[in-house]
Amino acid sequence: MRNGRSKLAVLAAIPLLAAACSNGDGDSSEAGTNGGELSASLTGAGASFPDPLFQDWIYSYGEDVQPGVEINYQSVGSGAGIEQFLEQTVDFGSSEEYLGEEELAVAAENRGCEAIQFPVVFGSVVIALNNPDLDGLVLDAETIAGIYSTEITTFDDPAIAELNPDMDLPGDEIVPVHRSDSSGTTAVFTHYLSTEVESWADEYGEGKELDWAGGLVGGQQNDGVAQGINQNPGGLGYLNQSFAQEAGLAVASVVNADGNPIEPTLEATIAASDEADVPENFQFAIDGIGGEGYPIAGTNWIFTYTCGYENATADALIDFWTWALTDESAQEVAGDLGYAPLGPELTERVIAELERTNSENGGTQGGDADTETSDE
């Protein structure tokens, strides 16, 4: 059995990493990671998946770390976040799907310099249910695919009953709920189904948007899916763990690659993230999860550019995300909301990539770079 790192082990390493990443002599929680006061206004847009965490981070950073930095993050969905980033209407983008080569090429052409991307947090996509009596219902990839393809229509279907011999299953009709906007959560969910169920891959495939089977209920963003589940007896839908937790919804356990039914806990998300093989370009998926890992796990990426920012903006971008990734209290909040932090080694790699923000403008530390994009 493969074991995930414990939450305590991860968080214990954060203060040491924060000290190593600090450019100043002061406490990062008082003066920011660069050791000085900053003044900037940042805009970001994208995934609703990490929105509860991002809003908490933004509030704490503005109140306790850098009062001169205002950050406005709009939870509009991964697809819209990527679009706004490529159109350069925001300072940073956010998505549960990384930028592919085509999108990176568009970014470089539009901006005149390279876009960079890096993961900031891991999270689970849970199968949430309207009926509290079904909390802990065991499902596998085949039954989930059957539900969303409308081949399985009731909770007492033989395929579900076989996975739950000790549960008194109702004959209620299942009402599947999906994201109706362009969604990274949908990309994670459908990638899982496509890699696990051949018939799903052939008929529906994967992506931020899908041509769903008829008769399903759609909802805008994670909030909309949670609402759709709550409003429909028999409601069942996929959404980020934090939203299910906040809405008080029952959640299913999902059978992983080792045949273990896994409840979507923080520890199970951490165990899944430990399975990820993260290449140098940070383009990866979390597949084939076994051991104690929850099998439907995703990553949130942040996007910035290597040129085109005012120095104050670039300094604030680097400082905020460095703080979010290394401050002990920020990481504890992530855990409390059900998000798995990056391990110390990956965090170091991510910060090195983050610090490339605006680097083609001649650097951001005390330089005189202007706001023009690079011609290189």
Side-chain angles (χ1 to χ4, degrees):
M1 302 286 280
R2 289 163 285 192
N3 295 317
R5 64 187 184 276
S6 70
K7 177 185 175 185
L8 292 177
V10 173
L11 296 180
I14 295 298
L16 296 176
L17 185 57
C21 294
S22 175
N23 292 324
D25 296 327
D27 188 314
S28 65
S29 65
E30 295 176 355
T33 57
N34 74 350
E37 293 184 3
L38 301 176
S39 178
S41 179
L42 307 180
T43 59
S48 63
F49 183 94
D51 187 55
L53 175 61
F54 283 8
Q55 297 303 335
D56 199 302
W57 277 351
I58 289 168
Y59 176 80
S60 296
Y61 182 78
E63 285 290 306
D64 304 327
V65 184
Q66 291 287 0
V69 176
E70 294 183 3
I71 306 175
N72 179 14
Y73 178 75
Q74 294 296 316
S75 171
V76 293
S78 291
I82 290 174
E83 182 179 348
Q84 291 186 37
F85 176 71
L86 295 180
E87 292 175 349
Q88 303 178 67
T89 59
V90 293
D91 298 310
F92 66 92
S94 163
S95 174
E96 271 66 72
E97 190 171 54
Y98 57 77
L99 299 177
E101 297 310 313
E102 183 176 341
E103 290 162 323
L104 289 170
V106 170
E109 181 178 358
N110 289 352
R111 187 79 163 194
C113 65
E114 182 183 358
I116 64 174
Q117 58 186 333
F118 47 87
V120 292
V121 73
F122 300 108
S124 288
V125 176
V126 306
I127 308 301
L129 306 129
N130 174 287
N131 186 346
D133 293 335
L134 292 176
D135 192 42
L137 180 76
V138 176
L139 299 172
D140 59 12
E142 292 282 352
T143 53
I144 296 169
I147 289 168
Y148 273 90
S149 63
T150 67
E151 295 172 9
I152 295 175
T153 59
T154 61
F155 285 104
D156 62 354
D157 185 277
I160 298 178
E162 185 177 354
L163 293 169
N164 299 272
D166 299 325
M167 184 174 281
D168 184 17
L169 298 172
D172 300 345
E173 181 182 355
I174 301 174
V175 181
V177 185
H178 66 85
R179 287 283 291 271
S180 57
D181 55 329
S182 181
S183 159
T185 306
T186 297
V188 172
F189 177 66
T190 57
H191 175 79
Y192 164 73
L193 291 181
S194 293
T195 56
E196 296 291 333
V197 183
E198 185 176 354
S199 60
W200 179 275
D202 292 340
E203 186 170 357
Y204 296 100
E206 61 180 279
K208 293 189 290 293
E209 297 180 89
L210 222 63
D211 186 12
W212 297 97
L216 277 60
V217 174
Q220 288 279 328
Q221 304 180 27
N222 277 276
D223 280 332
V225 173
Q227 186 177 36
I229 296 168
N230 269 320
Q231 290 179 344
N232 288 280
L236 175 152
Y238 63 90
L239 70 167
N240 171 261
Q241 179 181 1
S242 181
F243 285 86
Q245 185 175 305
E246 183 177 344
L249 294 168
V251 296
S253 294
V254 180
V255 177
N256 69 13
D258 285 342
N260 301 322
I262 303 295
E263 180 184 356
T265 63
L266 172 63
E267 291 74 19
T269 304
I270 290 174
S273 69
D274 274 346
E275 302 279 344
D277 181 14
V278 184
E280 289 302 313
N281 64 6
F282 297 116
Q283 297 177 350
F284 65 97
I286 305 176
D287 294 326
I289 303 304
E292 299 302 317
Y294 180 77
I296 318 178
T299 308
N300 180 255
W301 284 265
I302 296 299
F303 316 131
T304 65
Y305 287 102
T306 56
C307 74
Y309 297 108
E310 294 184 359
N311 279 350
T313 300
D315 284 343
L317 277 169
I318 294 171
D319 192 78
F320 171 69
W321 288 112
T322 300
W323 171 84
L325 290 164
T326 62
D327 180 79
E328 184 175 8
S329 63
Q331 293 296 292
E332 286 179 348
V333 166
D336 290 342
L337 292 175
Y339 299 91
L342 310 183
E345 182 181 354
L346 180 56
T347 300
E348 288 190 55
R349 289 174 54 193
V350 165
I351 290 174
E353 186 72 3
L354 164 64
E355 289 177 345
R356 294 180 58 222
T357 299
N358 221 37
S359 58
E360 292 187 35
N361 265 15
T364 66
Q365 301 298 325
D368 295 319
D370 57 30
T371 60
E372 297 295 320
T373 57
S374 170
D375 293 327
E376 296 178 6

